[in-house]
């Protein structure tokens, strides 16, 4: 049986990740052990310091790293490995689970990252959203599928809701309107019978 095998050239991402600086922190108990961390720089206009997260990229993003996986990849299994396409997905799934566990345990670093991402989302800082995500390349490519232009990276909407129904944009409008009268005055208005708070007796019995 003649089987044609096409040789693939593996590509390994090396060097620093976008908007990130790799740093090594010495342990408090064992100073000789250095833990890799990644400082993610946010947009200068955000006024926020870099967000430090644990760096799980290994030696691949170390400065001056020279890595080749071609020599150690058996060509007979190469097409099978590529066809599976689940290695990267598995790593990202692990990161999501670890991040969720960190939030549930109240880990400060995970909360800081989540808070920074929420603020970037509310302020439409798309590049910061990409860089703070657990998979920046996928986040950026999915955004580019529907909004590929550079102008879309500063747009105050995404393709899910569009410019007219964006919840973040609506929240900005509500905040601006409330600030005209004062937040306390606006809250009192609703408490005194505004559309937001309705008396129980006014609710439909069959609702």
């Amino acid at each position: 049986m003649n089987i044609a095998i096409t040789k693939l050239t593996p590509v390994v991402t090396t060097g620093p990740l976008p908007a990130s600086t790799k740093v090594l922190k010495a342990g408090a108990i064992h100073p000789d052990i250095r833990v890799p961390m990644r400082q993610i720089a946010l947009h200068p206009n955000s006024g926020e310091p870099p967000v430090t997260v644990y760096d799980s990229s290994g030696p691949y993003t170390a400065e001056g790293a020279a890595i080749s996986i071609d020599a150690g990849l058996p060509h007979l299994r190469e097409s099978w490995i590529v066809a599976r396409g689940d290695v990267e997905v598995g790593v990202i799934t692990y990161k999501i689970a670890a991040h969720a566990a960190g939030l549930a345990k109240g880990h400060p670093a995970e909360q800081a990252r989540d808070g920074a991402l929420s603020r970037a989302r509310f302020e439409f800082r798309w590049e910061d959203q990409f860089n703070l995500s657990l998979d920046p390349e996928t986040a950026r490519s999915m955004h580019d599928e529907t909004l590929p232009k550079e102008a879309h990276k500063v747009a105050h909407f995404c393709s899910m809701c569009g410019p007219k129904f964006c919840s973040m944009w609506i929240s900005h409008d509500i905040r601006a309107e409330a600030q005209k009268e004062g937040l306390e005055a606006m809250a009192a208005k609703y408490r005194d019978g505004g559309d937001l708070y309705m008396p129980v007796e006014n609710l439909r019995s069959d609702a």
Side-chain angles (χ1 to χ4, degrees), residues 59-134:
Y60 296 93
T61 56
E63 185 176 357
I67 298 173
S68 173
I69 64 174
D70 184 57
L73 185 63
H75 297 304
L76 291 177
R77 300 181 64 225
E78 192 171 22
S79 59
W80 174 77
I81 293 173
V82 173
R84 281 172 60 96
D86 61 353
V87 177
E88 184 177 356
V89 173
V91 172
I92 298 303
T93 303
Y94 168 80
K95 286 185 176 182
I96 294 173
H99 178 62
L103 288 174
K105 294 170 66 176
H107 197 286
E110 302 295 345
Q111 292 177 333
R113 182 179 195 159
D114 233 38
L117 181 56
S118 295
R119 289 188 294 273
R121 178 170 176 258
F122 187 69
E123 297 170 5
F124 302 102
R125 289 184 273 120
W126 289 103
E127 288 295 339
D128 285 349
Q129 290 185 66
F130 300 149
N131 294 329
L132 287 166
S133 69
L134 296 175

Side-chain angles (χ1 to χ4, degrees), residues 2-184:
N2 294 324
I3 301 177
I5 299 178
T6 302
K7 187 179 183 302
L8 300 178
T9 302
V11 177
V12 180
T13 300
T14 58
L17 295 172
S20 298
T21 302
K22 191 183 189 82
V23 295
L24 298 173
K25 290 193 174 182
I29 300 177
H30 302 284
D32 57 322
I33 299 178
R34 297 191 300 169
V35 180
M37 307 294 287
R38 186 158 62 94
Q39 291 182 339
I40 305 174
L42 304 183
H43 193 280
N45 293 340
S46 70
E48 298 186 28
V51 176
T52 302
V53 300
Y54 176 68
D55 184 8
S56 59
S57 62
Y60 296 93
T61 56
E63 185 176 357
I67 298 173
S68 173
I69 64 174
D70 184 57
L73 185 63
H75 297 304
L76 291 177
R77 300 181 64 225
E78 192 171 22
S79 59
W80 174 77
I81 293 173
V82 173
R84 281 172 60 96
D86 61 353
V87 177
E88 184 177 356
V89 173
V91 172
I92 298 303
T93 303
Y94 168 80
K95 286 185 176 182
I96 294 173
H99 178 62
L103 288 174
K105 294 170 66 176
H107 197 286
E110 302 295 345
Q111 292 177 333
R113 182 179 195 159
D114 233 38
L117 181 56
S118 295
R119 289 188 294 273
R121 178 170 176 258
F122 187 69
E123 297 170 5
F124 302 102
R125 289 184 273 120
W126 289 103
E127 288 295 339
D128 285 349
Q129 290 185 66
F130 300 149
N131 294 329
L132 287 166
S133 69
L134 296 175
D135 186 3
E137 291 184 2
T138 300
R140 186 175 281 101
S141 65
M142 291 182 69
H143 180 271
D144 288 350
E145 286 180 4
T146 52
L147 298 171
K149 296 181 179 179
E150 281 304 309
H152 295 147
K153 301 300 186 296
V154 294
H156 285 195
F157 63 89
C158 70
S159 61
M160 183 171 70
C161 299
K164 294 184 178 180
F165 301 102
C166 174
S167 62
M168 298 295 103
W169 186 249
I170 293 173
S171 296
H172 277 282
D173 287 344
I174 293 175
R175 172 182 284 186
E177 189 65 27
Q179 288 175 341
K180 291 179 181 178
E181 299 185 30
L183 296 177
E184 287 298 326

Side-chain angles (χ1 to χ4, degrees), residues 198-205:
M198 300 292 293
V200 176
E201 57 270 18
N202 291 356
L203 298 176
R204 290 173 52 188
S205 59

